[in-house]
Structure formats: structure tokens, C-alpha cells
Amino acid sequence: MAIAEEIRPTTDALLKTTAPKRPANMGQIIRWGLLFLGGILMIMPIVYMISTSLKWPHEIYNLKLIPDEPTIENYTFVLQDGRFFWWFLNSIVIAVITTLCNVLFDSLVGYTLCKFRFPGRYIIFIAILSTLMIPTEMLVIPWYLMSQQFGWLDTYWGIMFPGLMTAFGTFLMKQFFETVPNDFIEAARIDGLNELQIWWTVAMPLVKPALAALAIFVFLGNWTAFIWPLIVTNSVEMYTLPVGLSSFGDEADVAWELIMTGAAISTIPTLIVFLIFQRFIIRGVVMAGLKG
Amino acid sequence: MADLALRDLVKTYDKTEVLHGINLDVHDGEFVVFVGPSGCGKSTTLRLIAGLEEVSSGTIEIGGTVVNNMEPKHRDIAMVFQNYAIYPHMTVRKNIGFGLRSSSAPKIQKEARIDEVAQLLGMTDLLNRKPDQLSGGQRQRVAIGRAMVRDPAVFLFDEPLSNLDAQLRTQMRLEIKKLHQRVGSTIIFVTHDQVEAMTMADRIVIMKDGYIQQVGTPSEVYHTPANTFVAQFIGAPAMNMIPGEITNNGSIQLETGGLIDAGLAARSGQKITLGVRPEDLSEHAPASFLEGSIAVREPLGHETLIYVNTSVGEFVAKADGRHPPDVGATVRLGALQENLHIFDAETGSTLA
């Protein structure tokens, strides 16, 4: 026993011991190289966006990363342009409302399909999923005709209505609700809560990581949406940011420096949304790991 | 607290009947344990009482009221689940107080009730913790606290100890029993562990394949089992079963060669199964009816289990813990007449 303890290192000793450094082998070098290349590919457009936003118009076709004469004139111009403020506001309103609606409706439908047994449940789920197979381009014409009939053209409602609930979000939430044990729901039922209270008080807090992921997907999707807002809006005041930015300049001369400046500013809300919700996603992943 | 009555309770899933007319009366303040192997219908019965499943036919009465069509929340019951079902996003205080959400009592009264329950369960210091900061036993106590806080007519426990380790299970078993003695509530407790059933119950309900096999006190089901299933399910190691036949003069001729005077002349020619508990088999009995060699010994400290190979199979007996017979030794075993259980070989029902 004494000998065994002598030769067996304690946990503390094991923790303190640093693993001996081994020279990297060729496989590792290739892996690191590919990751580095991937990283460069991902970050270059952002770097060029910021670089271009700091250039004067005569310099924008110069591929240098650091401008010869850096300027913040483009930022001043864009921020002082009244249109940009409206586009920004439109995008915020649309993205926030659509995100909230998705979190609410997708989770309600997902929860219902997951936790209730009723005739036709499976058919409804398949019907919702099958809409994923229809490309947006095909839906644009019926959406437009609908909007025209209902008088929704050039309105917030017209821009938002196709995305207030998504098949992907419903599917995502249904799959996450599958991980909520039925005992939780039954216990709440016995404790006197109605079904809506159970969904809100018990089930929703348990799928926060999924809600966070859904919120990020929906917010980004709506923040960057281009085709449908372009089609459904007519007045400059109703443009969203991507539509508005594309209108900088004219057919003969595109003002890339202004577009890039607007794009750089428009990344700020997406960064904020990601920073707010990412901790829920990471916590979800960690929890899933610990449970097993 | 209240009486509970099950009358001709039937449950079918699609076309499969899983409970076949259960009849049972549980008295006010009684601790009743449903026990049986997996798939026997004990949890289904509990879920029917809770209102989590719909009754196919028959009635459930709580406190004299038929509750078949009542929502779970209106049945005045509380349930403790196998995996605790305490909400991970809420503190212990919120978990315990969860059952009071729908109550119209003033907040101050609710808080006082939570404190009272926490004190009763020894959890006052843990009220602000989240479930992931609690041990298995503490989580189980929170689940019990959540059930207790509403002071329901009937407590339902669905295998609440099966996720705990052996030591903690023994401890919680004792705590639940003490709690019952203190609060005196009507408790229905489901388990597949016969030791839990024996140690906790006022009465045990033994189930198999959707039928009640026997209802009785722990002593009754152990000493006078109604059939071979109960005889073998209750008690560890299980009761030995020796095939035999009643002779013309009323004795039992065992296939092991032993002959026992049973005074059952009226049943001459009937095939029977003789049941003997391992602790009742002894080398010092007046007459032996089993002979064989010891194949395996299992020392348990205070006693040793010996597995005896005979011409008709293997039987188990309990021997002295200090001086057990050697492996390979031949032993002759018998039992006192009063410790023999005679069952009909065909139906398995007890004859004497």
C-alpha cells in the first residue's frame, strides 16, 4: 500500500506536471496550415471592407490594405445622410420584430408538435418541413401578389410577413423540446399549471440555447435580407440597409467606399446580437457535455 | 389525507389491455407500496391515479369523489418522479414553492410554508442553491419538498430511489418512512425493489402482467404468499421450488426423493410445487428431503449462502457464517413442517 502510494503521483502532482513538448508532425502542420488559410479567407473580406471604408474614391481600386491617405470622411458622410438613419432603423425594427416572432411562434409550434399527441400531428410536421424544399425565388411572386391584394406593398408588415415563422425554426425548436423530459411537464401539470404556463415557465427556460441559436439565425437572416425587401419596397424611406446601401451611386459609378462604410456600420448590431446570445449557446454545449 | 379506492380499473393502449380490472382500497394515512417486475402495470396504475393517463374503464375515487374526469391539478395529489423532475433553472426555494404558484394564499404565507417544509427536510441552508449544486439525495429531498408543500390528499412516488446509490437509497428509505410517520399522509409508492417494499410499506401490492397477485402486510406476503410468483418475488434469495406429487395417503412425494407427511389425502394424485425459503432449509431439521453437493458458497459475513446441486436442479440454503460447509461436501437438508409452502403445480396458487 505504502509503495503503491509512493509510486503513484497525486492528482495535484499530475495537474502541475506540464506535458513534454513534442515536435509538431507533418499532419499537424498541414492541419494548422489549412486552418490558417481558412481563417485568412474568412477575415479578408472584412478587412477589405474596413480598408475600403477608410479610402478616398480615387483609391478604392488600389488593392493596398492600408490606404495612402486614410480618411473617416465616408463615415461622416454616411452618418450625416438622413436616408442611412431610416434604413438602419427599418432594418432594426424588422429584424427585431421578426426575431421575437420567430422565437415565440416557432417554439410554440415546435412544442405543440413535440409534446402533444393529436391526429394529423405527423402530417402537419411533414407539411411544415416540406416548405424548406421550396426556394425563396419561387415564393417571391405569390408573396408579391398577396402583398398587392392586401395593400401591404411598401410597408413593414409587407417586408416582415413571410419570415414571421419559419419551417427551419419550428424544426429546430421541436428537436430541442424532445430533450426536455416529459416528467418536467407532467410535474408542472400536477402542480396546477395550464399548458401555456408550462410552455413558458418550464419548457422555454430549458431550451434557452436553442432559442439563442434561433435568435441569431433569424436576426442575421433578416438583417442581410435583400431580394424580398428590394421587391416589396418602393419608397427610399422604407428601404432596409442592404437595399439602401446598394442604391449608393448610380449605374455608371458605384460608390464602393460608401457601400463599404455602410456595411461596416451595419455589422455592429449583428456583433452585439451574437455577443449577447453566444454565452447561451456555449452554456448549452457545455451542459450537454456534462449530462452524459 | 384521504382514502383512495380503485374499482375495476382497466387500461388499454390501442387494443392491448395492460391493466385488467384492478380493485384496491387504500386507507387514510396508509403507506402502500406497489411492487412488481418491469411491465407489471404498477407505474401505469400510479399514472392513472395521478391523472397523467386516461382510464379506459373502472373508477378512481379520492376522498370519496370519483376523479376519473378531473385534471391532475384538481385531484389534490402530489407526485415525486423517478428522475426528480426538479427544474434546473430554478433555485431550491422556487422549486419547492412551485406547487404553490396556483394557490391564492398571500405571498408571505407561501414563503412561510416553503421555510416550514425546508426545515422539515433539513434543507434550510440550501434554499438559494440551484439543482446542479446539490447531491442526488438533496435533489430527491427537493422533489419530496415540492410534493409536500401543497399538503395534498395523496402522495404518489414513482420509483423515487432508483437513481440513488445503494447507501443513499437506504438512507432516503428511512427518511421517507420517518416523514410518513411525522406527517401521516396517504402514500402510494411504486418500486421494483422488494427490499424497499418490505421495509417501507404498511401494505404491499404485488403486481404481475397487469393483475394484482396479492395485497398484504410485509409479513403476510412473506410468510403466506398467495402463489409461486409472490413466493419467489419477495425474499432474497428467492424461495426454492421443488416439484412433487401428493400420494394416496396424503404425503408429498418430491422429485428429489424426499417424502413429507402433509395430510393432504383429499388431493391425492395432484401435482404440486413445494416452496421452502433458503433460511428455513437446515441440516438439523427432523427429516431431510433434499440431498446434494455444495457447488458454490457465497459468504455474506453473518451467514453464508450455499448452492446445492441435486438430481432435479440447484437449490439455495443459508448456512452459518463462521463455519459453513465446504464446497463439494454432501449435505442433507430439510425444514420444519410449518415453514413449508405448498402450491398447485398447474395454477401456482397456494394450497396450504
Side-chain angles (χ1 to χ4, degrees):
Chain A
M1 178 88 172
I3 296 169
E5 275 172 10
E6 225 168 74
I7 58 169
R8 190 178 55 203
T10 62
T11 314
D12 282 349
L14 278 173
L15 288 173
K16 279 174 195 165
T17 312
T18 49
K21 281 185 182 172
R22 281 183 303 168
N25 59 31
M26 192 49 93
Q28 271 177 324
I29 292 168
I30 291 171
R31 274 198 295 274
W32 290 341
L34 285 173
L35 285 172
F36 181 74
L37 205 65
I40 293 286
L41 280 173
M42 297 297 288
I43 208 152
M44 276 317 281
I46 297 167
V47 171
Y48 260 100
M49 176 181 75
I50 293 166
S51 167
T52 309
S53 74
L54 297 171
K55 288 176 181 174
W56 290 101
H58 66 267
E59 239 191 299
I60 53 170
Y61 293 110
N62 185 341
L63 287 178
K64 277 186 191 169
L65 272 182
I66 299 168
D68 291 334
E69 300 164 55
T71 176
I72 57 162
E73 190 62 28
N74 298 323
Y75 286 88
T76 316
F77 180 82
V78 166
L79 290 172
Q80 282 178 348
D81 187 330
R83 293 174 305 169
F84 184 83
F85 169 78
W86 281 111
W87 299 337
F88 197 89
L89 187 74
N90 291 343
S91 279
I92 287 278
V93 169
I94 287 159
V96 167
I97 293 178
T98 315
T99 304
L100 289 176
C101 287
N102 266 274
V103 165
L104 200 71
F105 298 140
D106 292 353
S107 61
L108 255 179
V109 177
Y111 178 76
T112 307
L113 289 173
C114 172
K115 296 295 179 191
F116 290 90
R117 301 282 173 269
F118 54 89
R121 184 175 69 112
Y122 188 67
I123 294 168
I124 292 171
F125 182 56
I126 294 294
I128 291 173
L129 272 191
S130 63
T131 63
L132 283 172
M133 289 186 279
I134 306 168
T136 309
E137 288 75 6
M138 273 184 71
L139 294 167
V140 162
I141 295 170
W143 286 345
Y144 186 85
L145 293 174
M146 262 179 80
S147 303
Q148 200 176 29
Q149 291 288 325
F150 291 131
W152 294 343
L153 291 178
D154 213 23
T155 62
Y156 279 153
W157 180 244
I159 302 171
M160 289 188 300
F161 86 90
L164 291 178
M165 206 195 115
T166 60
F168 168 73
T170 306
F171 173 72
L172 182 82
M173 293 315 300
K174 180 187 175 291
Q175 294 312 104
F176 260 82
F177 280 123
E178 299 277 2
T179 66
V180 175
N182 285 337
D183 283 359
F184 283 148
I185 288 153
E186 290 177 344
R189 220 166 263 161
I190 289 174
D191 282 336
L193 267 67
N194 64 38
E195 298 303 327
L196 211 58
Q197 286 173 317
I198 295 172
W199 164 73
W200 183 252
T201 326
V202 176
M204 286 291 265
L206 295 174
V207 293
K208 265 187 197 168
L211 293 174
L214 180 66
I216 289 175
F217 288 143
V218 176
F219 188 90
L220 291 184
N222 281 279
W223 188 253
T224 57
F226 182 72
I227 293 179
W228 176 242
L230 177 71
I231 292 168
V232 81
T233 52
N234 298 322
S235 57
V236 175
E237 294 75 32
M238 282 309 296
Y239 282 178
T240 57
L241 256 183
V243 178
L245 289 179
S246 72
S247 71
F248 272 133
D250 50 44
E251 280 179 15
D253 183 24
V254 179
W256 285 112
E257 72 286 1
L258 297 182
I259 291 176
M260 290 300 148
T261 305
I265 298 171
S266 75
T267 56
I268 294 168
T270 58
L271 277 176
I272 293 171
V273 167
F274 186 76
L275 289 174
I276 290 171
F277 290 114
Q278 68 157 349
R279 65 195 174 99
F280 291 113
I281 294 179
I282 293 168
R283 197 188 297 165
V285 172
V286 172
M287 274 169 67
L290 287 176
K291 268 182 191 167
Chain B
M1 290 190 288
D3 291 333
L4 172 80
L6 309 180
R7 300 273 176 262
D8 302 317
L9 201 59
V10 172
K11 177 65 186 170
T12 51
Y13 290 107
D14 296 328
K15 284 176 184 167
T16 314
E17 193 171 286
V18 294
L19 286 181
H20 319 280
I22 299 292
N23 283 290
L24 181 72
D25 283 291
V26 177
H27 309 302
D28 189 12
E30 200 175 15
F31 196 133
V32 170
V33 176
F34 283 45
V35 68
S38 298
C40 71
K42 55 190 188 299
S43 284
T44 305
T45 310
L46 197 79
R47 292 173 62 81
L48 288 174
I49 297 169
L52 297 173
E53 303 273 353
E54 272 183 46
V55 174
S56 302
S57 73
T59 57
I60 300 170
E61 291 174 29
I62 297 176
T65 310
V66 175
V67 296
N68 284 35
N69 297 321
M70 277 188 191
E71 291 284 312
K73 59 184 171 188
H74 297 133
R75 294 189 180 200
D76 199 11
I77 46 133
M79 187 156 166
V80 178
F81 290 82
Q82 182 174 355
N83 63 6
Y84 323 133
I86 52 173
Y87 307 119
H89 57 289
M90 295 182 194
T91 61
V92 170
R93 176 176 286 281
K94 282 196 174 166
N95 262 292
I96 292 179
F98 197 78
L100 297 174
R101 285 174 71 101
S102 47
S103 151
S104 55
K107 197 181 171 194
I108 207 160
Q109 212 170 314
K110 289 182 187 177
E111 292 296 316
R113 178 68 184 144
I114 295 168
D115 289 332
E116 187 187 336
V117 169
Q119 197 177 1
L120 199 69
L121 294 166
M123 302 206 72
T124 310
D125 296 340
L126 307 175
L127 280 173
N128 294 320
R129 288 202 193 166
K130 289 257 182 96
D132 60 357
Q133 296 169 303
L134 302 176
S135 67
Q138 287 168 336
R139 284 180 204 185
Q140 189 54 272
R141 256 183 248 151
V142 176
I144 294 170
R146 199 175 64 194
M148 282 175 65
V149 80
R150 279 192 294 127
D151 197 15
V154 180
F155 280 99
L156 307 173
F157 286 80
D158 189 8
E159 306 209 30
L161 307 182
S162 52
N163 285 354
L164 304 177
D165 62 49
Q167 199 180 349
L168 205 53
R169 200 181 307 169
T170 312
Q171 189 189 328
M172 287 304 295
R173 214 161 65 195
L174 192 67
E175 281 189 32
I176 292 174
K177 197 164 179 177
K178 279 183 187 167
L179 201 68
H180 176 244
Q181 284 167 357
R182 219 176 310 159
V183 296
S185 326
T186 308
I187 292 181
I188 312 283
F189 190 104
V190 163
T191 180
H192 62 267
D193 182 345
Q194 52 107 3
V195 179
E196 261 171 37
M198 291 293 283
T199 51
M200 300 174 88
D202 292 330
R203 277 193 305 155
I204 298 178
V205 178
I206 298 156
M207 294 184 73
K208 185 193 170 204
D209 299 336
Y211 291 98
I212 289 182
Q213 301 293 311
Q214 188 173 2
V215 182
T217 64
S219 174
E220 280 167 0
V221 297
Y222 188 81
H223 294 294
T224 52
N227 53 39
T228 48
F229 174 77
V230 175
Q232 292 208 287
F233 192 79
I234 300 291
M239 184 184 277
N240 294 295
M241 294 293 171
I242 312 165
E245 188 177 341
I246 297 173
T247 60
N248 288 337
N249 63 3
S251 300
I252 298 169
Q253 177 64 61
L254 296 172
E255 286 185 17
T256 56
L259 190 70
I260 297 168
D261 182 18
L264 292 169
R267 294 180 182 270
S268 70
Q270 187 173 349
K271 298 269 187 200
I272 61 101
T273 304
L274 181 78
V276 196
R277 294 218 177 267
E279 62 270 27
D280 294 331
L281 277 175
S282 164
E283 283 187 279
H284 312 295
S288 63
F289 49 78
L290 264 180
E291 184 176 342
S293 61
I294 297 176
V296 180
R297 284 195 321 193
E298 281 182 355
L300 300 174
H302 64 294
E303 63 190 11
T304 296
L305 299 179
I306 54 171
Y307 292 84
V308 182
N309 263 341
T310 71
S311 54
V312 291
E314 194 176 67
F315 298 98
V316 59
K318 287 182 180 175
D320 181 36
R322 289 181 193 279
H323 308 290
D326 295 326
V327 172
T330 301
V331 285
R332 286 188 186 81
L333 302 169
L336 295 174
Q337 185 84 29
E338 70 225 44
N339 294 331
L340 299 178
H341 305 271
I342 304 162
F343 303 100
D344 184 326
E346 207 172 307
T347 64
S349 303
T350 185
L351 295 179

